[in-house]
Each structure stands twice: as C-alpha cells, then as structure tokens.
C-alpha cells in the first residue's frame, strides 16, 4: 500500500542499520542503576511517579520470605497485597488500561497501561505464577535488576515490594560504602557528593543566615 493509504507503509521507512543503541561504560550503568534503586526508597519520588502508596506501612516495603514464596493462588496474592495496602496500586494499573492512539493499535501494542508494583525476589520464583495475572505487577531477581523496570520511561521512583532475602542480598550484589561487592569485582557504592541535598533547608538554617545578615 502507498504511504497515503490507511494501514499503508510509511514514507521512507526507517532502516534496520540505523544506530539504535549507544554504548555506555559499565561503571556509568551501575551508577544509574543504584541511583534508581535509591529513589525507590524515597516516598516523595514514589508518590510523584503516580503510585498509590499513602496507606502502606512503610517504604521500602519488605515482606517475609515465607509470606511471598508460599503463595500459589491468585486469590492469595490479592489477599497478601491487600494486607500491606499495595493492592490499590494494582487497581490503579487495571483502571488505566486504554486503547492506544495511533497506528500502534494494529502493530501488536493495542493497549496502554500504567505500571504497578515491582516485586523483587531472590531464589525460587514459583510464586510468580500467582501474581502474573494481576495487571501492572512485574518481577525482578535481585541479582539481575534492570533499569527499565526500576525507572520505566526514565522516571525514578518505582514502587518496589522486596522479599526479606532479596533485601538482605543487596549488600552482596552492590557492596556498601566501606566494603566491595561480592558479585561485581571491586565495585563499591558511589559516595554522595552532599550529605544533605536539601539546599533550601541549608540556606535558610540559622547558622548560614546569622553569617549573611
């Protein structure tokens, strides 16, 4: 079909030999990943991203391994999410499902939908069968965290539900400020440039204002 026809090919189709990807150094990729990971622990950033977490007990939300890994039915998964006030975010994702505008409708991406909670686990993943039918819910192994799931669309602050085993394994995967990672050779967490990033609070503090005035 001509480029002027409905469902026709586009004019001057994009070529497969376009430079689709950009090479980024390993250190920079790790820096971005740990930054996105840190943002998941800031309630303001999580709420700014649109997640419904106001009724939840705390952020980051860490659940007992047995509570998550023993779930085998979707009704039990719903019950677990409701018990920690995380099901409201799933309902938000369900209600957001809409027809896509444009030609993507007939290119196997007919609907758009917001993201729900991301469940980060370690080890056995049989429980994912119970959660996989819930709209917006995604999974990630703590040893293979992905920036595209931690910060979809480049927006920091994904609502993450951790299992206790995965949360405790973070120091082994990424290391700390004092100890190196056990999985990434010689890697340590980047040191913060500022201990307190709240500039307005610093400038308006009595100590600074007393010197200025």
């Amino acid at each position: 079909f001509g480029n002027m026809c409905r469902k026709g090919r586009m004019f001057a189709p994009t070529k497969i030999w376009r430079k689709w990807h950009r090479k980024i150094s390993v250190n920079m990729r790790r820096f971005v990943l740990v930054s996105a990971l840190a943002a998941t622990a800031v309630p303001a950033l999580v709420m700014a991203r649109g997640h419904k977490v106001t009724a939840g007990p705390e952020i980051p939300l860490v659940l007992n391994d047995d509570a998550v890994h023993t779930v085998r039915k979707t009704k039990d998964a719903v019950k677990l999410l409701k018990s920690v006030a995380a099901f409201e975010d799933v309902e938000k994702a369900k209600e957001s499902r809409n027809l896509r505008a444009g030609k993507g409708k007939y290119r196997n991406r007919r609907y758009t939908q917001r993201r729900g909670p991301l469940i980060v686990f370690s080890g056995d993943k049989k429980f994912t069968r119970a959660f996989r039918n819930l709209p917006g819910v995604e999974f990630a192994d703590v040893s293979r965290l992905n920036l595209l799931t931690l910060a979809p669309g480049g927006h920091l602050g994904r609502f993450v539900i951790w299992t206790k085993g995965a949360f405790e394994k973070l120091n082994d995967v990424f290391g700390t400020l004092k100890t190196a990672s056990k999985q990434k050779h010689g890697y340590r967490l980047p040191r913060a440039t500022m201990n307190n990033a709240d500039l307005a609070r610093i400038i308006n503090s009595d100590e600074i204002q007393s010197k200025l005035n």
Side-chain angles (χ1 to χ4, degrees), residues 178-198:
K178 295 182 179 179
T179 58
S181 166
K182 293 181 180 178
Q183 294 189 14
K184 306 176 192 301
H185 181 68
Y187 181 74
R188 293 187 182 184
L189 287 178
R191 194 172 294 277
T193 308
M194 298 175 65
N195 288 330
N196 184 2
D198 192 349

Side-chain angles (χ1 to χ4, degrees), residues 4 28 32 45 72 90 110 126 132 148 171 184:
M4 75 296 292
M28 186 177 289
V32 174
L45 291 175
R72 291 294 180 268
V90 177
R110 192 165 183 80
K126 290 180 181 178
R132 66 182 179 181
L148 297 177
N171 286 350
K184 306 176 192 301

Side-chain angles (χ1 to χ4, degrees), residues 67-81 126-134:
V68 177
H69 286 284
T70 55
V71 175
R72 291 294 180 268
K73 295 284 187 179
T74 303
K75 63 180 180 181
D76 296 330
V78 171
K79 187 177 179 181
L80 175 64
L81 292 175
K126 290 180 181 178
F127 75 95
T128 58
R129 288 173 170 266
F131 287 87
R132 66 182 179 181
N133 204 34
L134 298 175

Side-chain angles (χ1 to χ4, degrees), residues 28 31 58 72 89 112 119 124 131 135 138 160 183 208:
M28 186 177 289
F31 190 98
E58 61 181 357
R72 291 294 180 268
D89 201 48
T112 59
I119 300 175
D124 182 32
F131 287 87
E138 293 180 335
V160 179
Q183 294 189 14
I208 299 291

Side-chain angles (χ1 to χ4, degrees), residues 26-103:
V26 171
N27 201 46
M28 186 177 289
R29 267 184 287 160
R30 288 175 180 171
F31 190 98
V32 174
L33 188 63
V34 294
S35 300
L37 204 55
T40 63
V42 182
L45 291 175
V46 176
M47 287 189 283
R49 218 189 155 274
H51 292 289
K52 306 290 184 183
V53 294
T54 50
E58 61 181 357
I59 286 179
L61 182 58
V62 183
L63 302 181
N64 194 3
D65 283 339
D66 293 336
V68 177
H69 286 284
T70 55
V71 175
R72 291 294 180 268
K73 295 284 187 179
T74 303
K75 63 180 180 181
D76 296 330
V78 171
K79 187 177 179 181
L80 175 64
L81 292 175
K82 283 183 177 178
S83 69
V84 292
F87 193 69
E88 190 181 354
D89 201 48
V90 177
E91 289 179 322
K92 177 216 65 172
K94 182 181 179 181
E95 291 166 5
S96 70
R97 184 176 161 96
N98 281 312
L99 261 178
R100 181 186 295 274
K103 293 185 179 178

